[in-house]
């Protein structure tokens, strides 16, 4: 009986406030090092407050499967360290100057420190898992890091050739984004249960949620206002990343119009032709189509949860709705 | 009864020719991926033939501890993947244009692909270890990656302040270089035995060998001819990396001369003052001193092997002599 259907992440996280506080402590302790420069950078990382969706997924999945325990906190710490490592490396490769409203690590300390800090966080996270004999976590997380880097590399090679269709789009976003969200759910579930049916249900939830999450991200690149997302409009087009809204429009246009648009995309690096491309996507309902697809994945995500009690799964359902509604 | 004391790496590797061939096959198979761009880059990596010192150490250690087996090959593959990953990341951070006589990955495919390929190789290697339940390998290797990145970060922060003494120098080179060589020996030993005395002996050998290896590398920066090492003379000085030959000379000079040289180092980025700094190091016998220290570590490395049969340890002793004699 909520007054409005608008969903807020802080609202969703509220029931887990104590646990998230405990997670933050775990994360802070895990980042500690003997090298002053490492401590300086990690202190800075802790200031860049992220949405913490990944640790939240770990804990909600653990809760649904029997309860949050020490292993759940370790799992949440592991995924957040890993996610942070990949963000730092992403900023190096994208030459991004900002992250979460603060200058990026590479902007403050240069590429060298950023690449090494990413490697440090990655190995530190995996080391914690080894030390605690969380070998099941290690299996899913190393496979996930591999899929993430493969997905990104796949996207780069397709992008360079401007050759992408729906099938490779879904393969790419499943590898680069959905794999880690599925991993969060799997790790949370495994920290609390060894029931394969429950684990599978949460992996399915995470995978579908992740795909919807990335589609939504790609839609925001066409629709989002820079002030809200912190990202400039049309950044993907400038990088020649062809995402679902554009793939759909290209599939609907005739050959002649398609070639005309492809020519415009090739010349769009400096922001030229952006409006023409956005108009082309609008003409063929690329955004509406993509929203419908995202809704479908959210429906699948929620369906995967049906083996659980209705009361227990409510927060994960809200999180799914949030992914659909988010505007940043 | 060798005619000359000059030691050659090909000579040392000869008794392991079959095993190195088998390792190369393992390595090639492990690199395989479903993503064409990944395969293209790995094919290129296989062309950049390195010295393969790390797999060699794994196999020689295994042989000394009872014999080379499947787990030794997996260990050798793991360390070589990891070493390759760190080299690729190093080239990004150093903006290096060449590696092993060929253009570097970042020079051919840009930074983005290089950072991601490093992450891919790192996770792929660790994944193989997880899949094969080589959890003992994982423990030593993740700790080693952590030490390597910490060592590099430590060096950067000290370098930026031009503040480095012998103690921090040895801590840094032990973390950034010796840790992986010790890890190779430990992994080789563990693949063949669980005798803690033998494992410890080989870790000690690897750690001391690694320190001597890095001191020698730092000496070559002052002495080596570019044609042999493939590196320009004085590269470290230009980057303001203060290594043992210079640390020693600075410790011998009086305060006035020291400050004069520090001023020259600060202004050396573009290759100015290089000869003055080299002359200063010569004046205080910085190279001879460093060679004596490297010899001492090689002596310690060999001493650690004394618990083994004289015949069995011969190749590892030759490898230690090679590290001392190498001129590239």
């Amino acid at each position: 009986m909520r007054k409005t259907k608008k969903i807020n992440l802080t609202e969703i996280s509220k029931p887990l406030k104590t646990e998230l506080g405990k997670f933050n402590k775990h994360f802070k302790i895990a980042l500690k090092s003997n090298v002053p420069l490492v401590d300086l950078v990690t202190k800075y990382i802790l200031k860049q407050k992220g949405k913490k969706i990944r640790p939240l997924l770990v804990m909600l999945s653990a809760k649904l499967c029997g309860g949050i325990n020490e292993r759940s906190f370790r799992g949440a710490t592991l995924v957040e360290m890993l996610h942070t490592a990949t963000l730092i490396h992403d900023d190096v490769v994208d030459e991004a100057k900002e992250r979460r409203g603060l200058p990026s690590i590479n902007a403050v300390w240069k590429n060298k420190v950023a690449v090494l800090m990413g490697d440090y966080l990655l190995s530190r996270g995996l080391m914690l898992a080894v030390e605690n004999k969380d070998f099941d976590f290690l299996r899913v997380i190393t496979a996930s890091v591999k899929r993430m880097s493969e997905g990104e590399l796949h996207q780069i090679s397709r992008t360079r050739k401007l050759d992408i269709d729906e099938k490779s789009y879904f393969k790419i976003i499943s590898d680069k984004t959905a794999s880690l969200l599925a991993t969060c759910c799997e790790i949370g579930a495994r920290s609390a249960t060894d029931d394969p049916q429950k684990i599978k249900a949460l992996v399915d939830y995470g995978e579908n949620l992740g795909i919807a999450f990335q589609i939504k991200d790609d839609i925001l690149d066409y629709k989002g206002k820079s002030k809200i997302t912190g990202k400039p409009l049309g950044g993907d087009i400038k990088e020649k990343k062809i995402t679902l809204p554009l793939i759909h429009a290209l599939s609907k246009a005739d050959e002649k119009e398609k070639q005309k648009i492809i020519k415009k995309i090739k010349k769009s690096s400096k922001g030229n032709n952006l409006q023409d491309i956005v108009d082309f996507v609008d003409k063929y309902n690329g955004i509406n189509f993509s929203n419908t697809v995202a809704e479908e994945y959210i429906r699948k995500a929620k369906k995967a949860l049906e083996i659980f009690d209705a009361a227990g799964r409510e927060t994960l359902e809200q999180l799914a709705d949030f992914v659909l509604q988010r505007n940043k």
Side-chain angles (χ1 to χ4, degrees), chain A:
Chain A
M1 294 294 148
R2 283 187 299 273
K3 262 188 198 163
T4 161
K5 271 197 74 185
K6 198 79 197 154
I7 293 157
N8 180 309
L9 197 57
T10 323
E11 224 31 68
I12 299 175
S13 318
K14 221 172 218 169
L16 286 183
K17 213 183 155 204
T18 320
E19 286 85 352
L20 279 171
K22 213 174 154 189
F23 156 76
N24 281 330
K25 270 189 202 156
H26 260 83
F27 190 58
K28 219 167 157 175
I29 292 169
L31 288 175
K32 262 204 133 353
S33 144
N34 295 320
V35 177
L37 177 59
V38 173
D39 281 338
L40 193 68
V41 180
T42 53
K43 220 172 140 181
Y44 187 78
I45 290 169
L46 290 167
K47 268 199 239 164
Q48 297 173 318
K49 291 189 195 313
K51 290 195 282 288
K52 300 270 160 59
I53 284 184
R54 286 156 195 86
L56 190 62
L57 272 175
V58 174
M59 285 191 280
L60 288 172
S61 302
K63 201 175 168 193
L64 191 56
C65 288
I68 297 166
N69 54 43
E70 276 305 307
R71 233 164 80 79
S72 323
F73 287 115
R74 290 207 301 269
T77 302
L78 175 59
V79 296
E80 189 67 5
M81 283 184 108
L82 221 120
H83 175 60
T84 311
T86 58
L87 291 184
I88 295 175
H89 280 181
D90 279 355
D91 286 347
V92 174
V93 300
D94 296 338
E95 296 173 23
K97 297 285 167 244
E98 272 199 24
R99 166 70 61 185
R100 294 168 180 169
L102 285 174
S104 61
I105 309 281
N106 45 307
V108 182
W109 285 278
K110 311 269 178 277
N111 280 352
K112 188 159 189 149
V113 171
V115 172
L116 290 167
M117 270 308 292
D119 292 350
Y120 171 79
L121 288 173
L122 195 61
S123 53
R124 184 80 191 98
L126 296 172
M127 216 180 121
L128 280 176
V130 178
E131 278 169 3
N132 290 294
K133 300 201 193 311
D134 293 323
F135 298 126
D136 52 346
F137 291 179
L138 273 173
R139 191 172 42 75
V140 290
I141 206 97
T142 50
S144 179
V145 179
K146 176 177 166 276
R147 276 181 69 191
M148 286 163 74
S149 47
E150 275 189 325
E152 296 264 11
L153 285 161
H154 191 178
Q155 183 165 50
I156 291 172
S157 59
R158 291 280 181 165
T159 299
R160 287 190 180 172
K161 296 187 222 151
L162 277 188
D163 160 29
I164 197 155
D165 52 24
E166 263 195 45
K167 198 181 152 209
S168 32
Y169 172 77
F170 283 109
K171 169 81 179 125
I172 287 167
I173 68 171
S174 155
D175 281 345
K176 76 164 196 177
T177 308
S179 72
L180 187 57
L181 297 194
T183 288
C184 293
C185 296
E186 179 164 358
I187 282 180
R190 284 186 187 276
S191 73
T193 185
D194 47 20
D195 180 338
Q197 204 199 353
K198 288 184 181 171
I199 296 170
K200 192 186 172 309
L202 278 157
V203 170
D204 286 349
Y205 167 83
E207 182 82 26
N208 286 301
L209 182 81
I211 293 176
F213 186 92
Q214 187 60 51
I215 295 174
K216 205 63 205 180
D217 221 55
D218 294 339
I219 292 172
L220 286 172
D221 194 68
Y222 281 89
K223 281 190 60 181
K225 288 177 192 124
S226 179
K227 265 187 209 159
I228 299 177
T229 64
K231 293 176 202 164
L233 184 71
D236 286 345
I237 307 174
K238 283 193 224 167
E239 287 178 31
K240 300 180 184 33
K241 268 186 204 162
I242 310 215
T243 60
L244 195 55
L246 186 52
I247 292 172
H248 177 75
L250 285 169
S251 78
K252 293 291 168 200
D254 64 23
E255 195 55 31
K256 200 179 144 197
E257 194 179 12
K258 192 178 156 182
Q259 291 310 326
K260 216 176 86 187
I261 288 295
I262 286 181
K263 227 179 236 171
K264 286 189 194 253
I265 299 168
K266 282 186 184 159
K267 291 183 186 159
S268 64
S269 322
K270 283 177 187 146
N272 304 330
N273 306 322
L274 276 190
Q275 196 54 51
D276 288 357
I277 297 163
V278 170
D279 290 346
F280 169 75
V281 166
D282 271 347
K283 179 176 163 191
Y284 291 104
N285 281 312
I287 304 292
N288 289 344
F289 171 80
S290 305
N291 265 320
T292 311
V293 176
E295 278 162 22
E296 181 58 21
Y297 278 96
I298 288 300
R299 204 190 53 73
K300 280 191 206 168
K302 285 183 183 170
K303 193 162 171 53
L305 296 180
E306 280 178 4
I307 64 159
F308 297 101
D309 273 357
R313 67 192 195 225
E314 202 193 9
T315 319
L316 281 171
E317 286 170 350
Q318 285 173 359
L319 192 63
D321 289 330
F322 166 75
V323 162
L324 217 50
Q325 290 181 15
R326 77 197 179 98
N327 55 9
K328 63 174 177 176

